[in-house]
Amino acid sequence: MPNQVTYRVYDFLKEIAPFSYLDREALLRVAERVEVRYQPPDTVVFRPGEPPRDRFFVVKEGTVELYSEDVDGNELLVERCGEQDIFGIRPLLAEDNYVFLARAVEESLLYAINSEGFREIIPNYPRVLEYLVTSMAGSSRYAVEYRAARRQEMAAAAPEPDLMSLHTLHRSRDPVVCLRTDTIIDAARRMTEHNVGSIVIVDDDFRPSGIITDRDLRRCVATGAVSRKLPVTTIMSAPVLCLAQQATVADVQIKMIRTGKHHLVQTEDGTDRTRVTGVISEHDLLLLQGNNPAVIIQEIGVATTASYLRELRDRSERLLGGFLEKEVAIGYITAVMTQINDEIIRKCIKMSLARMQQDGRGNPPALFDWLTLGSQGRGEQLLRTDQDNALIFEDVPEARYPATKDYFLQLAEYITEYLNEVGFDYCDGDMMASNPKWCLSASRWKEQFSSWMHDNTAESMLHTSIFFDYRGVWGDGSLPDKLTDHIFLEMERRSTRFQASLAMAALQNPSPLTFFRNFVVERSGEHKDQFDLKARAMRPLTDAARVLILQAGQGNINNTLKRYEALATIEPQNARLYEEAAKAYELLIRLRAELGLKRNDSGRFVRPGELTQVQRLLLRNSFNPVGEIQKLLELRFQLNFMR
């Protein structure tokens, strides 16, 4: 019969993934085996190099920091874990030693979870298994420890256990093997030739005797501990873990979790007494998932209709939902979704060019590039919103200009039509390449940007906020580069006035909170009593990053997070502020995407009452850098004198 302590532990853990995926009975069994630990300030929980224990930890109260060491032995902060955070999860995933130092910053109360007891229940709970597999391969906090120990890049994805056969993985390739008499250098060369991370050592009958992985080569050979001229048997791991060809994805995932092994050998009957037929690695598992970004991008490449592209974009949003649920890093999520969106745009362009051929219009009369603008131009568009795009084509003789522009306007009409069918709505403000105003030659685009930078009117600043975040997704990039060069030449001519105007525009959205710490909501209209995440919180950060990166003379850095990252390097005295601004923006992107997926809309407007207490707190905290960044702009550009 569970006691009161067990019930208190249960009540705490049931709100935290992956414990929240367990039913009541299973979680109570876990809670019964929890050890409550008091950790005084500045005391060590575990040290790097220590063997993994039979416990991993959840912070009940207090703070624990994880540190790594640089080559000089200096401590480098890796992660700060607060209430409900999990750390030291390595015993559940692998048998390697700890790679970080874990130290309590203040008086802390920890729940030490019995690893073996928790591992026993994993096979019965697919969502727990899915969560842990994603942690091993993803960008979550727990993967930091895992990747640091493995010393290799791993793909982040959100796999879903199913009954898919692994047979298709190896239909087109033979397993890479070597004989027991081969040398280590022979094996390394063969792995390099075939671009694989492991090689199976077989006997004369092709039966597995052992396996060597990249990690074995690093551990034994790269360190000089073992001569590369010795036989492969010197460093191979034996016996190998085998599985049958009929094994499912779930079978493999469970076996990898239970054993901590990252490569499994397939044989004819699932034992080491029959011939090798393949090798399964964690990376292979990720590629097998139909909702894997690489698979979606491959499907986009062979798509022939806008309706199928829409299906693929729907699948990518399910992928996005999985990423958000597993708390995969926003930088990775935006990179994946941007790549998917770019591939869809390029496919729409190809389909439109084919349609122009069918119309008898022939090939493009000049080089051109399709420019994405706004959030997609910054590589930050996670959900499908309305279109913001433009078209730039190379300069042609004046006599040819009308016909050339007419061709590209028709092409743009087709492209925007296809994008609309995919789910990217037409822009209400007609900020699209199908608008004659936004389909121009390189020279005329330069004139347009010069005009905006010279006028400094409210309308010009509005266009600047949209068009200055352009990014080419078609062509060789030379035309957008020419435009960027022109902008910085103009900056030299009228830098002070233009930059000050940009900075002033970035202050148009004041603090998102009222004097009484309530959210500033819309007072009327369709979104009355709702908070505008985009205008009140995100736009001040994007606008500030844009003007600051322009002032720094850094072109071709469009992404807001990367802009702040670059600024932190350029201005170390303001690094803390820029890092905090980036963290706040990451939170806002994540929150907007979560809300949008939940409600099937853009996620822009939110009623404060629909936010959880944690979401409200995190959102309020994200507003602090907004105010600090705006103060920096006021001082740097002396905006008080312009008001």
Side-chain angles (χ1 to χ4, degrees):
M1 181 72 181
N3 57 33
Q4 290 301 314
V5 174
T6 297
Y7 282 116
R8 284 200 295 271
V9 173
Y10 166 84
D11 287 337
F12 183 77
L13 294 180
K14 70 181 181 180
E15 305 297 330
I16 308 170
F19 307 106
S20 57
Y21 303 145
L22 302 177
D23 60 35
R24 187 174 187 274
E25 182 181 349
L27 184 52
L28 279 172
R29 290 204 305 272
V30 171
E32 279 182 321
R33 303 178 70 172
V34 166
E35 177 186 342
V36 182
R37 292 189 181 180
Y38 168 70
Q39 206 75 33
D42 205 35
T43 57
V44 172
V45 183
F46 53 75
R47 299 180 184 277
E50 289 183 353
R53 304 175 185 176
D54 59 352
R55 295 284 190 271
F56 63 96
F57 304 94
V58 183
V59 180
K60 173 64 170 65
E61 298 174 6
T63 304
V64 173
E65 292 181 337
L66 302 179
Y67 291 90
S68 64
E69 288 188 355
D70 62 17
V71 292
D72 298 321
N74 299 313
E75 292 183 353
L76 302 174
L77 180 63
V78 174
E79 187 66 55
R80 180 175 289 110
C81 304
E83 184 178 337
Q84 295 192 340
D85 285 340
I86 302 174
F87 69 97
I89 202 169
R90 298 196 48 69
L92 205 60
L93 306 179
E95 296 301 323
D96 300 326
N97 295 339
Y98 288 112
V99 295
F100 295 135
L101 169 71
R103 181 192 295 128
V105 179
E106 56 190 2
E107 284 189 316
S108 300
L109 200 62
L110 308 180
Y111 285 162
I113 313 296
N114 181 278
S115 301
E116 189 59 38
F118 191 72
R119 191 183 293 114
E120 290 172 0
I121 67 175
I122 289 174
N124 300 321
Y125 294 88
R127 290 196 70 191
V128 174
L129 175 64
E130 176 186 357
Y131 182 91
L132 293 174
V133 171
T134 305
S135 294
M136 287 195 296
S139 302
S140 64
R141 171 181 293 115
Y142 322 124
V144 175
E145 293 183 51
Y146 188 78
R147 290 200 308 274
R150 293 193 63 192
R151 296 290 192 264
Q152 66 181 33
E153 196 71 26
M154 298 197 64
E160 298 177 3
D162 55 26
L163 299 180
M164 186 193 315
S165 170
L166 294 165
H167 176 64
T168 55
L169 185 65
H170 298 293
R171 286 186 303 186
S172 61
R173 75 181 191 218
D174 295 324
V176 180
V177 302
C178 67
L179 296 174
R180 295 173 61 89
T181 54
D182 287 337
T183 65
I184 295 172
I185 194 170
D186 291 331
R189 284 172 177 165
R190 199 162 300 167
M191 291 168 65
T192 302
E193 289 171 4
H194 293 274
N195 193 28
V196 294
S198 63
I199 188 168
V200 181
I201 292 83
V202 298
D203 61 18
D204 293 337
D205 294 321
F206 216 71
R207 295 175 301 195
S209 299
I211 188 170
I212 293 175
T213 67
D214 280 335
R215 182 177 175 186
D216 296 321
L217 295 176
R218 293 195 301 272
R219 177 174 54 86
C220 299
V221 181
T223 60
V226 176
S227 170
R228 59 183 183 174
K229 296 181 181 179
L230 291 175
V232 290
T233 52
T234 309
I235 66 169
M236 74 179 188
S237 298
V240 294
L241 289 175
C242 298
L243 69 158
Q245 296 182 82
Q246 296 75 28
T248 66
V249 170
D251 293 334
V252 177
Q253 290 172 333
I254 291 171
K255 198 159 191 174
M256 285 184 175
I257 288 288
R258 283 177 172 172
T259 64
K261 301 299 182 183
H262 318 306
H263 295 82
L264 302 179
V265 177
Q266 281 185 301
T267 61
E268 292 173 343
D269 70 351
T271 73
D272 59 6
R273 296 185 296 274
T274 55
R275 292 173 60 85
V276 174
T277 60
V279 179
I280 301 295
S281 69
E282 291 167 350
H283 182 67
D284 293 330
L285 284 181
L286 298 179
L287 293 181
L288 276 172
Q289 310 307 313
N291 220 21
N292 177 279
V295 176
I296 292 176
I297 289 172
Q298 187 177 35
E299 291 284 317
I300 293 171
V302 299
T304 57
T305 64
S307 60
Y308 186 49
L309 288 176
R310 187 182 186 105
E311 290 180 24
L312 293 172
R313 192 54 176 77
D314 290 342
R315 278 171 54 183
S316 72
E317 290 194 355
R318 292 195 291 274
L319 175 71
L320 169 63
F323 283 159
L324 293 171
E325 183 179 352
K326 312 306 180 305
E327 297 189 356
V328 173
I330 282 295
Y332 179 84
I333 298 176
T334 55
V336 168
M337 298 304 294
T338 296
Q339 184 65 25
I340 290 173
N341 288 337
D342 285 356
E343 291 299 326
I344 288 175
I345 293 170
R346 282 191 276 268
K347 175 56 71 169
C348 289
I349 292 173
K350 291 177 182 177
M351 291 165 57
S352 299
L353 287 170
R355 192 168 167 184
M356 294 291 283
Q357 291 275 5
Q358 294 171 0
D359 291 347
R361 300 292 297 268
N363 294 321
L367 294 176
F368 76 98
D369 207 321
W370 186 266
L371 304 178
T372 63
L373 311 172
S375 61
Q376 178 61 10
R378 295 190 298 272
E380 299 166 0
Q381 188 179 77
L382 299 186
L383 302 173
R384 277 171 288 193
T385 57
D386 60 348
Q387 299 181 44
D388 287 313
N389 47 58
L391 191 148
I392 180 173
F393 56 89
E394 67 177 337
D395 291 327
V396 295
E398 194 61 33
R400 288 177 46 202
Y401 189 86
T404 301
K405 180 168 181 174
D406 179 68
Y407 178 97
F408 285 120
L409 279 173
Q410 182 58 66
L411 176 66
E413 188 75 33
Y414 288 155
I415 297 170
T416 54
E417 178 184 326
Y418 282 132
L419 288 172
N420 183 65
E421 291 180 32
V422 172
F424 296 94
D425 294 337
Y426 291 122
C427 176
D428 291 337
D430 206 13
M431 299 288 189
M432 299 183 295
S434 52
N435 182 337
K437 293 170 63 177
W438 317 130
C439 178
L440 303 170
S441 67
S443 292
R444 299 196 183 191
W445 268 119
K446 292 176 183 178
E447 292 173 1
Q448 179 63 79
F449 273 82
S450 294
S451 174
W452 287 331
M453 296 172 75
H454 175 72
D455 290 344
N456 296 326
T457 61
E459 183 179 8
S460 293
M461 291 300 101
L462 172 63
H463 286 134
T464 297
S465 69
I466 298 172
F467 284 87
F468 267 63
D469 291 336
Y470 61 82
R471 186 169 54 83
V473 296
W474 183 268
D476 62 4
S478 59
L479 295 174
D481 285 346
K482 289 178 181 178
L483 193 54
T484 299
D485 292 341
H486 173 76
I487 288 171
F488 280 103
L489 282 174
E490 286 290 288
M491 289 273 290
E492 293 177 5
R493 297 174 191 166
R494 49 176 65 90
S495 60
T496 303
R497 181 185 173 195
F498 172 64
Q499 290 175 31
S501 297
L502 275 183
M504 182 67 78
L507 301 184
Q508 295 308 304
N509 291 289
S511 173
L513 295 176
T514 66
F515 179 80
F516 297 102
R517 299 283 293 169
N518 295 318
F519 293 102
V520 176
V521 296
E522 302 302 300
R523 296 183 177 180
S524 60
E526 179 185 356
H527 300 289
K528 186 176 184 295
D529 297 328
Q530 296 180 36
F531 179 74
D532 189 340
L533 271 175
K534 177 181 176 181
R536 292 286 183 180
M538 300 179 75
R539 187 178 293 158
L541 292 173
T542 58
D543 287 352
R546 183 186 306 111
V547 64
L548 289 169
I549 206 71
L550 282 172
Q551 184 196 41
Q554 300 295 308
N556 296 321
I557 304 179
N558 284 12
N559 182 270
T560 302
L561 299 177
K562 291 181 179 178
R563 282 172 169 170
Y564 281 121
E565 180 182 338
L567 288 166
T569 301
I570 296 168
E571 302 177 27
Q573 71 276 17
N574 293 316
R576 183 201 59 80
L577 172 57
Y578 294 142
E579 289 164 2
E580 290 299 318
K583 289 177 183 178
Y585 197 67
E586 286 184 7
L587 184 145
L588 293 167
I589 291 178
R590 185 184 296 276
L591 178 60
R592 182 176 176 183
E594 289 173 346
L595 292 170
L597 287 175
K598 180 180 178 181
R599 303 185 313 219
N600 195 30
D601 61 18
S602 70
R604 174 173 176 174
F605 293 93
V606 57
R607 295 187 183 279
E610 72 178 286
L611 297 174
T612 67
Q613 184 177 2
V614 172
Q615 286 175 326
R616 290 170 66 91
L617 178 62
L618 290 173
L619 188 55
R620 278 199 178 97
N621 289 342
S622 74
F623 298 157
N624 294 330
V626 173
E628 289 189 47
I629 283 285
Q630 290 185 331
K631 290 177 183 176
L632 184 146
L633 293 179
E634 284 184 346
L635 291 173
R636 179 165 299 184
F637 296 100
Q638 300 181 353
L639 300 183
N640 288 330
F641 297 102
M642 298 179 60
R643 293 182 173 179

